[in-house]
Amino acid sequence: MNVFEKLNKLDFRKLNSMIKELSDVQSGLAEIFDEMDILEGTIKTACQDVLFDKTLDSLEKVSVDELSKSRLGIRISALKDAGFANLKQLAMATDREISEAEGVGEKQISSIRDIIAELQNRLVEVSSIKIDPDDLSKENTALIKALYKYICLKNYIARNTALPLELGLISEKLGEIENTDFARNGFQWFFSGRKKKERTADIMGSLKEILFGDHRRLAGKYISDCKKIMTAGSKQAMSDFKARSPEYYAVMEGISGAGHAKPLIYSSIPARLAAEIDAIELNLDGFVGTLRSYQKFGAKYVLHQGRALLGDDMGLGKTVQAIAVMCHLYGVPAVLNYQEWDARKVYFLVICPASVLINWVREIKRFSSIPVHLVHGPYRDEELNRWQEAGGVCVTNYETMGKIVDEIDNNMTLSLMVIDEAHYIKNPDAKRTKYIHALENESERILLMTGTPLENRVEEMCTLIDFLRPDMSERIRSVAKMSTVPEFREMLSDVYLRRLRSDVLDELPDLEHKMEWCQLTETDTTAYIKALRTRNFNEIRRVSFLQDDMRSSSKAMRLLELIEEAKEEGRKVIVYSFFRDTVEKVRLLLGDECAGVITGETPPDMRQKLVDVFSQISPEPMSANEQNEGVSLSEESTSNSGCVLVAQIQAGGTGLNIQAASIVVFCEPQIKPSLENQALSRVYRMGQVRNVLVYHLLAADTIDEAMLEALNKKQEEFDLYADESAIGEASENLFGSDWIQEFIMREENRYIPKRN
């Protein structure tokens, strides 16, 4: 059969069907981006309505006498005589109603409107929106739903960088078809010349290539996934909002323009320097998520200064800001050329305590598409080689630095070196400090991070600043006595940025959960394998608290770090565990830091006395017997703002008010969600005046991960299909014997090698 005979075999019904299918795919992809615009408009309108109502409430507190400051000759007394006492009344009144005031004409009314509008605009700039998750009104639910869809679509598109490419490719092909002269039916084909017939065959071939290849499959998956998001229900949106509200507030801030006054975001940065930093165009094409305005400024600050110490308060997202800097430097373009991109190597190094290694890896994967390599443990050398070959982020701990520093020194250029928990290198003579100093010349930028305030530890601060800016440390030491005044902070502005939670996050809900993933130490692993051999579910659940020496426990070490940070911020901590043995080990680990212990054996009246002392309420004196029971507190420890109360979750979770604590730590996941909720309700209740941070200590690749996955899955199901009572009943049977046996078998296969 010759070429001409093959051309005559074309199926025009199929040809037109494929053109229509391609057009439908284009419409489906375009609908996703159109939906983003629609949702953004919905969110903006809803936020403006809320902010407008807030400005009216503020205007109600402003007397009409303030109008006299404008010096525009507005007749204040006439307005008062007409019944106008505040600016809200004027804002709500019609021109006709205002003109009824004697001597107030059209020109004065226009001036009044301009003054009120300017004041409202200023109020909007410094106002924030607070969403009440318990408000089930139509307006509130609609706003949360729109935010949920927008965030999910935005993050989905960010993770699937090929989505806009697919839309562009298909649109280009349809444009080519539209502009090509080819036969669309048998009649046209009959009267076509050979070239037109060949063009028709080419189009048929290219359509087949698109519609029967990966492009159609990927586009179909994108459309299907996004439509699931676009049709999500209110329960799903509300559940997601409760789980990750900070991103919702970040999106609202970005879309509505509402937020905190810039001086709070800049901290004590001089205006000229702040303007230079703010002018930087931050490339977040490769960032998955939304940054708050203060986080954007933090990332720009690091980029502009090159060497910086970021000391933001606990919970302000220092890790996210560091990842945003990496994304900017990694430079993911809006349209990727994968062949060129694969050949490009950018290197980042993150050095952190072993207790937060897994957290860093997970956060980098969550917020970016940058390759990440955990250079630690048995696969250290293998992962180090992969990082050197492929680029991306190397995450390692201080102890491993001695083993890898020679591989980096003089052999690589780091775009950014991040040193987390920077107080670990406060001793210049320590080996870990010297290893990091060895890479100073290999690092284009250096970022030190710490959540502890350094103003009152001038010597420690100077040691860190000496690493970044040796030219500054001597001058700072000379004015150490000024450490509590604003001028001192401004002197540090070239190298040190610190924002307080109360300054930039006052609109956030009072409760925030943080998953603290810990990597098992060798001792942890040995003890865990031993527990697996017993096949005892509760024994296995005590992972990382199984051994006697808590200094070898990854969870215990992270607990000490969290408590140290809490002390620096003047916060009190309550630590919960289901197991009496774990509670006792935590008590011994903390020593004098432990304010007391509440277990099932502690009588109810003694429990309240412990809480009273912990809360610095004057309790009745304790008897000698009570002190012998281990419930006494020294006067010194009661005045320590970082003191810790340790409790068995069954005993400390009911009947007590523990609002003095603002940080809660769970040593392991709980079988019953109701246990955790009851424990939290002791702290997070009326009378709590601080944001509550809840830390869940979790061991990666262990029973903790399996339990959390099962609990989250069951929670999602019931959020969609059931009520709260059903959740409570179902959770009783969630970890039945079948689940336990299946899990133990899976863990045995992973941790215990089979013998021949």
Side-chain angles (χ1 to χ4, degrees):
M1 186 183 294
N2 59 38
V3 175
F4 190 75
E5 289 174 329
K6 286 183 180 179
L7 293 178
N8 283 322
K9 296 287 184 181
L10 284 177
D11 184 344
F12 288 100
R13 182 178 296 177
K14 187 173 183 179
L15 175 63
N16 288 299
S17 173
M18 287 196 294
I19 294 173
K20 183 181 183 306
E21 184 180 354
L22 196 65
S23 180
D24 290 343
V25 171
Q26 181 200 35
S27 299
L29 289 170
E31 185 183 348
I32 296 168
F33 294 94
D34 291 343
E35 181 72 7
M36 291 285 290
D37 293 336
I38 293 169
L39 289 169
E40 186 171 335
T42 302
I43 294 166
K44 188 170 187 176
T45 301
C47 289
Q48 286 173 341
D49 290 344
V50 172
L51 291 169
F52 182 75
D53 290 342
K54 287 192 75 170
T55 61
L56 288 179
D57 292 340
S58 299
L59 291 176
E60 191 173 14
K61 301 171 186 175
V62 182
S63 169
V64 292
D65 290 324
E66 289 294 313
L67 295 174
S68 62
K69 295 178 180 178
S70 65
R71 304 194 180 191
L72 295 173
I74 297 172
R75 296 175 60 83
I76 307 298
S77 58
L79 290 171
K80 286 183 174 180
D81 292 340
F84 295 107
N86 58 62
L87 297 191
K88 179 181 178 180
Q89 293 172 330
L90 286 170
M92 300 296 288
T94 64
D95 288 358
R96 182 178 176 180
E97 289 170 336
I98 298 175
S99 67
E100 291 176 1
E102 186 178 348
V104 178
E106 185 178 331
K107 187 175 180 181
Q108 288 198 357
I109 292 172
S110 177
S111 297
I112 291 170
R113 297 291 189 211
D114 289 343
I115 292 169
I116 291 175
E118 183 181 349
L119 181 56
Q120 282 185 297
N121 287 335
R122 289 207 303 267
L123 288 169
V124 165
E125 288 178 359
V126 296
S127 295
S128 56
I129 300 170
K130 184 168 184 177
I131 296 177
D132 181 0
D134 297 321
D135 178 4
L136 300 179
S137 65
K138 184 178 178 182
E139 295 78 11
N140 195 55
T141 304
L143 175 57
I144 291 176
K145 204 169 166 182
L147 284 164
Y148 171 75
K149 293 178 181 179
Y150 181 88
I151 290 168
C152 290
L153 285 174
K154 182 174 179 290
N155 290 348
Y156 184 84
I157 292 170
R159 288 212 173 276
N160 294 279
T161 51
L163 199 158
L165 290 176
E166 293 297 330
L167 177 59
L169 174 69
I170 291 170
S171 298
E172 182 182 338
K173 178 52 63 179
L174 283 170
E176 180 187 323
I177 290 171
E178 187 67 29
N179 296 318
T180 300
D181 181 23
F182 68 97
R184 295 174 181 266
N185 53 54
F187 181 78
Q188 291 180 359
W189 173 268
F190 183 78
F191 290 103
S192 297
R194 185 180 186 89
K195 287 188 177 180
K196 187 172 183 178
K197 289 180 177 180
E198 287 177 346
R199 285 196 298 270
T200 306
D202 288 342
I203 285 177
M204 171 70 93
S206 61
L207 282 170
K208 285 182 178 178
E209 185 179 341
I210 292 175
L211 292 174
F212 296 104
D214 287 341
H215 296 294
R216 176 65 182 90
R217 181 182 57 78
L218 285 174
K221 184 179 184 304
Y222 295 150
I223 294 168
S224 174
D225 290 347
C226 290
K227 284 196 171 178
K228 286 179 184 176
I229 295 170
M230 289 152 64
T231 56
S234 302
K235 284 187 177 180
Q236 195 171 347
M238 191 67 75
S239 176
D240 188 72
F241 168 72
K242 291 176 181 177
R244 50 183 185 134
S245 59
E247 189 162 2
Y248 283 69
Y249 284 106
V251 168
M252 283 194 295
E253 183 181 276
I255 291 177
S256 69
H260 292 270
K262 286 188 174 181
L264 296 177
I265 293 172
Y266 296 162
S267 184
S268 54
I269 305 295
R272 181 186 57 77
L273 176 58
E276 287 180 16
I277 293 169
D278 234 359
I280 293 175
E281 289 292 330
L282 195 60
N283 177 12
L284 294 176
D285 288 333
F287 186 81
V288 180
T290 307
L291 292 176
R292 300 297 300 267
S293 53
Y294 76 87
Q295 291 172 331
K296 287 181 181 176
F297 183 82
K300 291 179 180 181
Y301 177 87
V302 175
L303 289 165
H304 186 275
Q305 299 304 97
R307 296 190 167 201
L309 173 57
L310 183 61
D312 282 347
D313 216 344
M314 281 177 79
L316 290 188
K318 294 184 288 293
T319 302
V320 170
Q321 293 175 65
I323 295 171
V325 173
M326 292 180 201
C327 286
H328 176 93
L329 296 172
Y330 201 61
V332 177
V335 178
L336 288 173
N337 181 323
Y338 289 104
Q339 289 182 338
E340 291 180 8
W341 188 250
D342 286 343
R344 187 166 184 260
K345 294 180 183 178
V346 182
Y347 297 100
F348 307 109
L349 176 63
V350 174
I351 308 159
C352 62
S355 56
V356 293
L357 281 168
I358 300 297
N359 268 7
W360 266 101
V361 171
R362 287 174 181 252
E363 293 292 276
I364 293 167
K365 288 180 178 178
R366 176 185 171 191
F367 289 106
S368 79
S369 54
I370 303 175
V372 58
H373 308 271
L374 178 57
V375 180
H376 176 71
Y379 302 105
R380 181 191 67 215
D381 295 338
E382 184 180 333
E383 284 298 314
L384 180 63
N385 290 335
R386 286 180 181 172
W387 174 56
Q388 290 173 319
E389 291 173 5
V393 190
C394 165
V395 179
T396 191
N397 65 322
Y398 289 99
E399 290 71 23
T400 306
M401 280 300 296
K403 299 179 177 67
I404 69 171
V405 65
D406 290 338
E407 295 291 327
I408 303 171
D409 193 15
N410 295 321
N411 297 318
M412 302 173 67
T413 298
L414 303 173
S415 291
L416 175 70
M417 178 166 65
V418 179
I419 302 163
D420 193 10
E421 305 289 359
H423 51 272
Y424 273 60
I425 62 167
K426 63 185 178 183
N427 180 1
D429 297 323
K431 283 186 177 180
R432 64 175 64 161
T433 308
K434 292 178 179 178
Y435 290 142
I436 291 170
H437 269 290
L439 301 182
E440 198 172 349
N441 294 331
E442 277 65 45
S443 306
E444 294 176 346
R445 295 168 190 82
I446 299 175
L447 170 61
L448 305 188
M449 291 168 43
T450 177
T452 59
L454 295 174
E455 289 84 344
N456 296 324
R457 297 179 172 187
V458 178
E459 190 56 41
E460 183 177 323
M461 175 185 279
C462 287
T463 301
L464 298 178
I465 291 176
D466 191 50
F467 174 48
L468 297 169
R469 292 282 304 274
D471 57 308
M472 291 181 62
S473 59
E474 186 176 342
R475 183 161 53 100
I476 292 169
R477 282 190 175 92
S478 67
V479 291
K481 292 180 181 179
M482 293 174 54
S483 62
T484 58
V485 300
E487 288 79 6
F488 183 75
R489 289 286 299 276
E490 188 166 326
M491 188 182 297
L492 297 170
S493 61
D494 280 345
V495 70
Y496 181 52
L497 178 65
R498 174 170 171 80
R499 280 78 57 90
L500 300 179
R501 188 182 181 91
S502 57
D503 288 339
V504 294
L505 287 189
D506 62 324
E507 84 293 342
L508 281 182
D510 296 326
L511 189 66
E512 184 176 351
H513 289 264
K514 290 179 174 291
M515 304 300 165
E516 293 293 324
W517 289 98
C518 306
Q519 187 176 39
L520 296 182
T521 64
E522 289 185 13
T523 308
D524 280 333
T525 304
T526 301
Y528 185 59
I529 292 172
K530 186 177 178 181
L532 284 172
R533 293 184 189 279
T534 69
R535 303 183 68 82
N536 183 316
F537 182 57
N538 279 335
E539 184 78 356
I540 297 168
R541 281 183 60 205
R542 290 171 48 231
V543 57
S544 200
F545 286 103
L546 290 162
Q547 59 266 41
D548 293 327
D549 186 358
M550 285 294 96
R551 291 173 300 178
S552 63
S553 161
S554 58
K555 284 189 179 182
M557 293 303 99
R558 184 55 183 155
L559 175 62
L560 290 178
E561 292 167 0
L562 292 171
I563 290 171
E564 187 61 27
E565 288 184 35
K567 284 170 58 181
E568 293 292 338
E569 292 191 13
R571 291 175 178 263
K572 293 188 177 182
V573 183
I574 183 164
V575 179
Y576 284 118
S577 176
F578 181 83
F579 301 101
R580 179 70 178 85
D581 184 69
T582 299
V583 168
E584 178 61 18
K585 286 179 178 178
V586 171
R587 181 186 74 81
L588 292 172
L589 175 73
L590 297 179
D592 293 339
E593 296 290 341
C594 182
V597 173
I598 298 175
T599 70
E601 299 168 6
T602 310
D605 58 332
M606 290 170 62
R607 296 178 191 181
Q608 188 57 56
K609 286 181 180 180
L610 264 176
V611 172
D612 289 346
V613 176
F614 176 72
S615 306
Q616 296 186 13
I617 300 171
S618 297
E620 294 180 11
M622 290 186 180
S623 67
N625 287 337
E626 288 172 341
Q627 293 179 25
N628 290 335
E629 290 287 339
V631 295
S632 62
L633 270 171
S634 68
E635 197 167 315
E636 181 181 346
S637 64
T638 62
S639 63
N640 184 345
S641 60
C643 62
V644 185
L645 186 65
V646 186
Q648 252 186 307
I649 196 166
Q650 309 93 311
T654 55
L656 299 172
N657 297 331
I658 319 176
Q659 297 98 314
S662 60
I663 290 183
V664 182
V665 182
F666 290 102
C667 292
E668 71 281 317
Q670 303 306 312
I671 292 179
K672 300 178 184 178
S674 57
L675 274 179
E676 186 174 300
N677 293 335
Q678 287 171 1
L680 281 177
S681 69
R682 302 303 99 210
V683 176
Y684 182 56
R685 59 193 296 121
M686 188 175 292
Q688 176 59 255
V689 294
R690 300 194 72 170
N691 289 343
V692 176
L693 297 174
V694 184
Y695 292 95
H696 300 263
L697 297 179
L698 302 163
D701 300 320
T702 69
I703 190 170
D704 287 354
E705 191 159 335
M707 286 184 68
L708 199 65
E709 182 180 350
L711 284 166
N712 288 341
K713 184 177 180 181
K714 188 59 66 176
Q715 185 71 48
E716 288 173 6
E717 290 174 8
F718 280 102
D719 282 345
L720 292 173
Y721 303 118
D723 58 20
E724 290 183 6
S725 62
I727 296 173
E729 293 168 7
S731 64
E732 302 290 333
N733 301 315
L734 179 58
F735 301 99
S737 59
D738 290 344
W739 186 94
I740 292 171
Q741 293 306 315
E742 182 180 345
F743 166 78
I744 291 175
M745 288 177 61
R746 189 169 71 242
E747 290 297 273
E748 285 177 336
N749 289 335
R750 176 159 55 171
Y751 282 94
I752 306 173
K754 294 187 181 298
R755 296 179 180 176
N756 293 328

